[in-house]
Amino acid sequence: MSKNARDRSIDPASQEMLALASRAGLETAWDRLEKQQPQCGFGELGLCCRNCNMGPCRIDPFGEGPQRGVCGATAEIIVARNLLRSIAAGAAAHSDHARDVAHIFKLVSQGKATSYSITDKAKMERLMKEYGVADQIALAEAILSEFGKQDGPIKFVSRAPAKRLDLWKRLGIEPRGIDREIVECMHRTHMGVDNDPLNLILQGLRASLADGWGGSMIATELQDVLFGTPVPTFSETNLGVLEKEKVNIVVHGHEPILSQMIVAAASDPEMIDLAQNQGAEGINVAGMCCTGNEILMRHGVPSAGNFLQQELAVATGAVDAMIVDVQCVMPALGALAGCYHTKLISTSPKAKFPGATHMEFHEETAYDTARSIVRAGILNFKNRNPSRVHIPEIKSKAMVGFSVETIVDALGGSLDPLLGAIKSGAIRGIGAVVGCNNPKIQHDFGHVNLVRELIKKNVLVVTTGCNALACAKAELLQPEAADLAGDGLKGICKALGIPPVLHMGSCVDISRILVAAAAIADALGVDISDLPAAGAAPEWMSEKAVSIGAYVIGSGVFTVLGTVPPVLGSPAVAALLTEGAKDVLGASFAVEPDPFKAASLMIEHIDEQRKKLGL
Ligand code: BF8
Ligand code: SF4
């Protein structure tokens, strides 16, 4: 195998496909990153501004060239504005996803979107109680009104511990309507509006809180209501889940309102018959990225991998259809699919891709469209060139589906055993490790090594998104992985039959981690920032991750980032995020690309918190 493939990923299935891609002359994200070198130094530092047409402007980081944009904006202002815009984009992505789920929930309540139904009625009733409404339609309307609400705060904010709520109020960052906060970010960053870095960052926190405790939480809650609250389930992950003799349909993107329907359509007997008539043994649906996490944890549908494996899946030559909706779908896929028989099918009116066939998905006709899409995949099976099929025989078993409800169940009905274990030190603390892949970091290296280090030191890990999939592939989501944990954590996991790394879902499901953190803080009578807990995003790349990072520290959790955010062009903003925030929010960021050092930072923080709590 070429050294290149080994340098690019630690995952053997990905290495195998990277070697194949390079032999076949196929271009991947790693190649494109190389071609981008050297990347723009101003961009890396956050020092360029295109917010008006007197620009583009850039600030010379060496102090020799211009220190102000044409309007007079300084490095501080430009860096803070750029950061705010990234948060707004990330919060918009999560929240617009949530809006679509809420919209479907409303249609279901009105008896319109007949392809969908209510699966977790008890959860829906709990939400009705929380919102103080008497029926389902009223709940749908109340939730939808969170987006356009003019005066806050949004409902789920009251799930935060009282001390946190007070702090948000005092700082003036209690989120009002979700759309309002995002629009305000765009307004404030327009030329000549908000030019105070601190004021800009406070608005960034508010918009991000509207994501974490708003958009993302709404998505999670209503997806559970519609599709079921996850319970522990076993499945498999990695490219080896693709099957040579079956029609392979990969669902990639983020919204389970699509992937759920594809899963249902693919198990339709008529579709299976059709697949068999076409010479296949059946239909194999596999997930990719977060929509993969959604169906993995709810239905045990195997996942073909995380973000950087989307191109590698196509390169197996065995994918008959890759169905995409929104977010984290590389526009490179169309051209790559064109080198194979693979049909790339886009489905969202919001997201079209070069080289894709567009089969638009609508709530009212969801199941019929899903059947047409699955049929297109089946009919493409005969176009597969068997001599070009190469599926790595590598996959890992994983136990997934740890919703907060499930964790409480696994603990015997209350958080007390967990609190007891934290108090006794058997569990040293909790590490929330989340986020993307980024070819700037060897694929999965940051994720897997950080998590291994944490569990070794008795830190229970909760995970979502691409980290969850990295851990699954590295066999850390199996109960047997308890053997890799320190003695205390190992004992607890063995007693409960759970892995030391708990898969809590997709990226919007980081809201589950917030709910869990709030419950633990409440049980201990402290704020979230007092908990022996820390977060990390070892390989993050997306703007959603910027919003997540902001709401996580805004909620009081110290967080280590594995790739450098574009803020170093302003020492003042960088200091605010890594130091100043601590005094105000009780939490701040650290940047540490080395996962072993990152684990040490998290553990140091956890130990400090333990000491403060007298544990
Ligand atoms: O929402 S972790 S690469 S797939 S952004 Fe994207 Fe990042 Fe993966 Fe999921 Ni989240
Ligand atoms: Fe330049 Fe100011 Fe316009 Fe930005 S807003 S492009 S710094 S003039």
Side-chain angles (χ1 to χ4, degrees):
M1 186 182 300
S2 72
K3 181 174 168 292
N4 221 354
R6 273 201 308 271
D7 289 345
R8 288 176 168 187
S9 177
I10 63 160
D11 165 37
S14 299
Q15 290 174 345
E16 194 174 319
M17 291 314 300
L18 280 163
L20 179 146
S22 97
R23 281 196 306 274
L26 299 171
E27 188 190 73
T28 62
W30 287 270
D31 302 309
R32 292 187 294 273
L33 175 64
E34 262 172 29
K35 288 183 188 166
Q36 283 290 335
Q37 299 310 314
Q39 284 177 300
C40 171
F42 297 102
E44 274 176 348
L45 296 170
L47 284 176
C48 49
C49 179
R50 291 184 295 106
N51 291 11
C52 89
N53 208 26
M54 293 190 284
C57 301
R58 61 196 196 284
I59 305 297
D60 178 10
F62 304 109
E64 285 158 19
Q67 294 301 299
R68 285 174 179 274
V70 177
C71 67
T74 57
E76 275 63 45
I77 294 170
I78 292 176
V79 166
R81 277 198 310 219
N82 289 342
L83 180 65
L84 193 61
R85 285 207 166 186
S86 281
I87 292 174
H94 284 146
S95 303
D96 206 36
H97 161 172
R99 186 197 322 275
D100 285 350
V101 185
H103 183 59
I104 290 209
F105 176 65
K106 184 175 175 186
L107 292 177
V108 171
S109 306
Q110 294 170 327
K112 286 180 186 159
T114 50
S115 308
Y116 302 92
S117 56
I118 304 298
T119 304
D120 191 341
K121 208 161 167 230
K123 187 159 205 168
M124 183 178 78
E125 278 159 7
R126 286 202 297 280
L127 288 172
M128 279 161 52
K129 214 159 153 205
E130 193 171 355
Y131 270 92
V133 294
D135 65 75
Q136 208 176 312
I137 298 186
L139 177 63
E141 272 159 7
I143 290 180
L144 276 165
S145 75
E146 300 282 32
F147 292 88
K149 204 168 186 177
Q150 294 308 309
D151 297 300
I154 48 177
K155 189 79 204 170
F156 290 151
V157 165
S158 51
R159 292 178 171 188
K163 283 186 185 163
R164 202 39 38 183
L165 264 173
D166 273 356
L167 176 66
W168 292 341
K169 264 188 211 138
R170 266 188 285 127
L171 292 173
I173 59 171
E174 202 182 27
R176 303 157 297 178
I178 298 163
D179 293 347
R180 176 171 185 182
E181 301 307 354
I182 294 165
V183 166
E184 192 167 315
C185 290
M186 300 313 284
H187 178 192
R188 288 206 203 186
T189 53
H190 184 278
M191 189 269 146
V193 185
D194 197 355
N195 287 285
D196 180 284
L198 179 62
N199 209 39
L200 283 160
I201 286 170
L202 285 170
Q203 175 58 18
L205 288 169
R206 178 153 61 176
S208 73
L209 292 171
D211 171 358
W213 297 85
S216 286
M217 207 170 275
I218 289 172
T220 296
E221 294 289 38
L222 291 184
Q223 285 168 182
D224 283 357
V225 167
L226 289 168
F227 308 124
T229 301
V231 296
T233 308
F234 280 96
S235 188
E236 291 176 322
T237 54
N238 216 340
L239 294 166
V241 306
L242 297 173
E243 294 188 48
K244 213 171 177 177
E245 310 300 340
K246 289 189 180 169
V247 173
N248 287 308
I249 294 181
V250 174
V251 271
H252 173 21
H254 282 79
E255 302 184 336
I257 51 181
L258 169 71
S259 53
Q260 281 275 144
M261 281 300 123
I262 298 293
V263 171
S267 49
D268 190 321
E270 212 180 293
M271 291 293 130
I272 297 171
D273 276 353
L274 180 64
Q276 285 164 349
N277 288 340
Q278 295 292 312
E281 279 180 7
I283 307 170
N284 177 40
V285 179
M288 176 67 58
C289 286
C290 278
T291 208
N293 276 319
E294 300 279 0
I295 48 179
L296 173 70
M297 64 177 174
R298 290 203 180 85
H299 303 288
V301 173
S303 162
N306 53 8
F307 176 69
L308 277 176
Q309 289 178 286
Q310 54 188 290
E311 293 177 287
L312 307 181
V314 174
T316 63
V319 177
D320 303 298
M322 184 174 266
I323 303 163
V324 304
D325 53 21
V326 292
Q327 302 170 21
C328 306
V329 177
M330 290 190 194
L333 282 178
L336 182 65
C339 302
Y340 289 88
H341 78 299
T342 304
K343 225 180 166 107
L344 178 67
I345 301 177
S346 57
T347 56
S348 166
K350 294 172 202 168
K352 296 194 175 182
F353 297 86
T357 307
H358 192 67
M359 297 178 77
E360 205 159 294
F361 191 78
H362 294 285
E363 301 86 341
E364 292 86 349
T365 50
Y367 189 64
D368 291 339
T369 315
R371 274 170 52 105
S372 309
I373 294 171
V374 169
R375 184 178 295 115
I378 295 171
L379 295 178
N380 197 28
F381 177 74
K382 62 176 182 303
N383 298 324
R384 204 192 273 182
N385 177 349
S387 73
R388 293 188 71 199
V389 171
H390 181 100
I391 303 173
E393 280 175 31
I394 298 169
K395 57 182 175 182
S396 305
K397 191 181 79 173
M399 187 183 191
V400 299
F402 288 90
S403 54
V404 177
E405 292 85 341
T406 292
I407 295 175
V408 173
D409 275 356
L411 292 169
S414 93
L415 283 174
D416 292 348
L418 176 65
L419 298 176
I422 292 175
K423 284 181 187 157
S424 76
I427 293 180
R428 191 173 192 163
I430 297 174
V433 190
V434 304
C436 324
N437 295 135
N438 183 330
K440 289 178 177 174
I441 291 197
Q442 189 186 21
H443 173 228
D444 289 351
F445 176 84
H447 288 310
V448 170
N449 287 302
L450 174 56
V451 170
R452 278 206 190 117
E453 281 300 297
L454 291 175
I455 61 172
K456 215 191 283 174
K457 310 265 167 65
N458 292 310
V459 175
L460 173 70
V461 172
V462 290
T463 173
T464 63
C466 287
N467 177 274
L469 295 170
C471 291
K473 290 181 288 165
E475 307 194 324
L476 295 170
L477 300 190
Q478 309 176 352
E480 297 79 6
D483 292 327
L484 304 173
D487 287 340
L489 179 58
K490 181 169 155 181
I492 306 269
C493 292
K494 294 260 171 184
L496 297 171
I498 58 170
V501 184
L502 302 180
H503 181 298
M504 293 190 76
S506 64
C507 289
V508 290
D509 292 332
I510 294 173
S511 65
R512 296 187 201 276
I513 301 179
L514 294 179
V515 169
I520 297 171
D522 282 343
L524 293 171
V526 298
D527 193 355
I528 295 176
S529 54
D530 301 319
L531 296 177
E539 305 181 20
W540 75 275
M541 63 85 197
S542 84
E543 288 174 311
K544 288 181 285 173
V546 182
S547 176
I548 292 168
Y551 75 64
V552 168
I553 72 155
S555 300
V557 181
F558 166 70
T559 297
V560 186
L561 304 174
T563 64
V564 189
V567 298
L568 298 187
S570 163
V573 171
L576 190 64
L577 297 173
T578 54
E579 289 155 33
K582 197 163 180 214
D583 301 327
V584 188
L585 300 167
S588 59
F589 287 114
V591 178
E592 180 50 71
D594 179 332
F596 301 96
K597 290 186 187 154
S600 300
L601 288 175
M602 292 170 77
I603 289 166
E604 257 168 50
H605 174 78
I606 285 171
D607 286 351
E608 238 171 69
Q609 302 302 87
R610 292 187 66 88
K611 215 181 280 162
K612 281 192 220 149
L613 286 172
L615 300 176

